[in-house]
Amino acid sequence: METATVKELFARSDNYLNKKIQISGWVKTVRSSKTFGFIELNDGTFFSNLQIVYDEKLANFQEIARLITGSAIIATGELVESPGAKQPFELKAERIDIAGHSEPDYPLQKKRHTFEYLRTIAHLRPRTNTFAAVFRVRSVAAYAIHKFFQERDFVHVQTPIITGSDAEGAGEMFRVTTLDFDRLPRDDKKEVDFSKDFFGKETNLTVSGQLEAESYCLAFKNVYTFGPTFRAENSNTPRHAAEFWMIEPEIAFAGLQENMNLAEDMLKYTIGYVLKHCPEEMRFFNNFVDKSLLGRLENLVESKFGHITYSEAIEILKKSGEQFEYPVAWGHDLQTEHERYITEKHFGKPVFVTDYPKEFKAFYMRMNDDGRTVAAMDLLVPGVGEIIGGSQREERYDYLEKRLDELGLNKKDYWWYLDLRKYGGAPHAGFGLGFERLLMYLTGMTNIRDVISFPRTPKNAEF
RNA sequence: UCCUCGAUAGCUCAACGGUAGAGCAACCGGCUGUUAACCGGUAGGUUGUAGGUUCGAAUCCUACUCGGGGAGCCA
């Protein structure tokens, strides 16, 4: 007798038909009659369930008929063709052992639950159809991203989670400390004395691996990071989490154009890979989450992304005839409503917007020849908004130094970052891709809390 | 953080100033091919929390907590 998984049964049913097999998994539902019944079993390996038929010949027939959803069982029997229309085959049980009982108050039902409720039982929601699909896609997408970069000889750099630099410039940070809050050490000025802290200085959770990635980029040429990122911003939106995963490639001897080509290739590769390797999951999303999903994704893999400059975007918005809440004028940053118009209505596909005024972009972005814009690029996609933010980096020592001065930043904090420009600073570029935002785009799920296993958001760190 | 909407049985919802209900889940029973199984029955509630108005509050008012949507910040 062979043990099998549901995935194997569906992949190679000929090998198993009319043979005795053993299969183990969790009960999704039981339908019982007087002398026989059916169990829907999911073993976690495949999106579809296996139907098990059992009858009163089983010694524990009564017990099986009363199984509660969620119970773990091990079933043995022959795999036979099913007379029912909804499944090609089923297991005719000769024996069913109960590995773990469930309880009458099992919170998951056969009927549909709201995503809001399922977030309150995040430890059980991967057992639902939707979340089983989301997290298999998440796993496959992560693999596809590594595969994409590895096949192109990029080096995967694992940058630190704890950073001693408070100068990453990407927002509020979470403090990391071992100090006793009830008895904080103070210095002469009565301020907290961080020299007594674990690292002898202030430390925080990283908000970006970019600065460190640049260091490795200027040694390995092409690198990428893929790791957790932490932002202590009080953001309450369906697109923000305090802990999320980010992919940050960095390429040397390359500029903004190569950077955008890389981003486009990577997205198309990843989406194509998921479409090919998660057909059941993607069909499910298309049927139950977003009816236009597959058409949109398949179209995206074929089409060229749009390209416009910030200045062109302003012109498009001015000529659009739309009534916007925020004014459209050169020198004003693009608001969400503007971004949505450009990617959803004007282009109807992903669009790179480049060359923003330096005033609302980070210090490290490369100054353009016009002296007022920088070589930045944002990728906007319909439904999700900004999915990628990147730039060519300022590789000229004196320009970077000048920019730090203009913004009132302390050059001492950036000594090693400046060093990278001092010792063979080559043109280089990179971007950050929010992994969860990619998953939202891939699955049609509209809340970031539903594409990360145990979401951390303001006032919520349960589990 | 701001604006806005919401919170009623385990879940999804109804009742909108006058005795809190239904479907599903659970429990008991019936049913020889079901598949969101079906049929009959039982049980299940200080209506998010704390105040207030009223003869009377799930319903009106205030504050708070939590959640949804929108905005800002951004990935």
Side-chain angles (χ1 to χ4, degrees):
Chain A
M1 181 181 60
E2 247 186 293
T3 59
T5 64
V6 175
K7 184 186 174 77
E8 289 165 350
L9 297 186
F10 275 89
R12 301 183 298 134
S13 56
D14 291 353
N15 291 23
Y16 295 98
L17 261 181
N18 303 316
K19 286 182 188 156
K20 193 172 170 181
I21 59 166
Q22 183 178 81
I23 199 132
S24 48
W26 293 270
V27 173
K28 291 220 115 178
T29 178
V30 179
R31 295 181 289 271
S32 60
S33 293
K34 189 179 184 181
T35 57
F36 69 96
F38 303 92
I39 294 173
E40 291 278 334
L41 189 82
N42 190 284
D43 77 342
T45 63
F46 195 58
F47 189 70
S48 301
N49 301 319
L50 175 67
Q51 174 161 287
I52 298 172
V53 192
Y54 63 92
D55 61 30
E56 58 188 342
K57 283 179 222 142
L58 295 190
N60 56 352
F61 172 73
Q62 287 298 334
E63 201 183 358
I64 298 301
R66 285 177 197 182
L67 273 176
I68 288 170
T69 306
S71 300
I73 61 169
I74 302 164
T76 309
E78 192 181 335
L79 191 76
V80 298
E81 285 184 21
S82 175
K86 295 209 173 178
Q87 59 281 319
F89 47 79
E90 62 193 20
L91 187 78
K92 184 139 180 37
E94 292 161 20
R95 172 180 179 151
I96 297 176
D97 293 314
I98 299 168
H101 279 101
S102 185
E103 291 288 324
D105 61 355
Y106 187 64
L108 290 173
Q109 296 176 24
K110 284 173 268 190
K111 278 195 152 183
R112 199 182 168 283
H113 290 291
T114 61
F115 291 144
E116 290 82 11
Y117 170 67
L118 291 171
R119 276 173 219 147
T120 68
I121 49 167
H123 59 311
L124 297 173
R125 68 178 182 170
R127 301 181 187 197
T128 64
N129 287 338
T130 303
F131 288 92
V134 166
F135 289 101
R136 187 173 308 280
V137 165
R138 184 175 173 121
S139 168
V140 169
Y143 176 71
I145 285 166
H146 280 295
K147 193 162 150 51
F148 173 84
F149 285 119
Q150 295 288 336
E151 283 172 356
R152 285 156 185 76
D153 291 327
F154 280 58
V155 169
H156 178 208
V157 184
Q158 288 154 329
T159 51
I161 308 289
I162 298 173
T163 174
S165 154
D166 63 352
E168 290 173 5
E172 294 297 308
M173 305 176 92
F174 288 101
R175 163 93 23 97
V176 175
T177 182
T178 55
L179 291 178
D180 180 352
F181 286 1
D182 293 322
R183 291 189 300 175
L184 287 173
R186 305 277 176 176
D187 61 17
D188 301 343
K189 295 176 193 158
K190 298 282 182 195
E191 288 176 350
V192 176
D193 183 3
F194 284 101
S195 71
K196 300 284 197 305
D197 203 348
F198 188 90
F199 293 107
K201 64 181 293 193
E202 288 184 60
T203 50
N204 295 288
L205 293 179
T206 183
V207 293
S208 166
Q210 181 199 314
L211 270 49
E212 289 90 348
E214 283 188 54
S215 148
Y216 276 70
C217 168
L218 295 176
F220 286 102
K221 192 166 196 269
N222 294 329
V223 302
Y224 71 104
T225 74
F226 189 167
T229 309
F230 308 88
R231 305 261 169 102
E233 241 102 46
N234 190 15
S235 295
N236 294 287
T237 83
R239 303 186 304 283
H240 291 84
E243 177 183 283
F244 63 98
W245 287 63
M246 190 153 65
I247 296 112
E248 295 179 290
E250 199 71 33
I251 50 178
F253 301 100
L256 199 61
Q257 190 56 52
E258 291 83 355
N259 202 23
M260 289 189 283
N261 292 344
L262 179 69
E264 183 166 345
D265 289 347
M266 185 200 64
L267 279 178
K268 286 180 175 173
Y269 180 94
T270 305
I271 290 168
Y273 190 90
V274 169
L275 286 172
K276 186 176 173 196
H277 290 88
C278 298
E280 294 82 12
E281 285 81 3
M282 296 308 292
R283 218 176 297 129
F284 174 83
F285 292 129
N286 196 63
N287 288 339
F288 295 103
V289 177
D290 178 354
K291 300 250 184 249
S292 61
L293 182 71
L294 281 181
R296 191 168 67 237
L297 292 177
E298 280 159 6
N299 179 51
L300 174 134
V301 174
E302 302 303 320
S303 68
K304 276 295 283 179
F305 290 5
H307 286 263
I308 52 170
T309 64
Y310 164 85
S311 302
E312 288 163 351
I314 295 294
E315 290 310 309
I316 288 171
L317 292 166
K318 277 182 179 168
K319 287 178 190 156
S320 68
E322 292 274 320
Q323 281 294 324
F324 294 111
E325 191 182 336
Y326 289 88
V328 175
W330 205 98
H332 286 80
D333 205 352
L334 298 180
Q335 303 295 317
T336 298
E337 59 174 347
H338 305 142
E339 295 181 343
R340 289 183 75 106
Y341 176 83
I342 287 167
T343 186
E344 291 171 10
K345 290 191 178 161
H346 188 82
F347 282 91
K349 63 179 181 180
V351 188
F352 288 105
V353 182
T354 61
D355 303 294
Y356 285 83
K358 63 179 178 183
E359 282 75 19
F360 34 82
K361 287 293 176 185
F363 72 91
Y364 50 73
M365 295 191 180
R366 191 178 195 277
M367 188 66 66
N368 285 330
D369 293 341
D370 62 15
R372 59 177 198 164
T373 62
V374 291
M377 63 100 161
D378 286 354
L379 180 66
L380 311 177
V381 298
V384 179
E386 185 179 339
I387 198 171
I388 281 176
S391 69
Q392 183 169 348
R393 319 306 189 188
E394 184 57 80
E395 84 281 11
R396 299 162 296 190
Y397 192 100
D398 47 337
Y399 276 78
L400 184 60
E401 204 177 27
K402 188 168 154 241
R403 212 49 200 124
L404 288 169
D405 287 339
E406 276 176 15
L407 295 167
L409 296 168
N410 189 345
K411 274 179 278 184
K412 279 184 189 156
D413 292 337
Y414 296 90
W415 68 272
W416 63 267
Y417 192 69
L418 283 161
D419 261 8
L420 297 174
R421 278 71 184 164
K422 189 173 165 189
Y423 305 118
H428 62 291
F431 62 83
L433 166 72
F435 187 47
E436 284 76 16
R437 291 193 179 169
L438 171 61
L439 289 170
M440 290 167 72
Y441 189 65
L442 258 170
T443 60
M445 299 292 285
T446 54
N447 195 310
I448 197 169
R449 297 169 182 85
D450 298 327
V451 296
I452 188 164
S453 58
F454 295 97
R456 276 78 177 91
T457 50
K459 299 281 184 288
N460 188 358
E462 190 65 54
F463 303 102

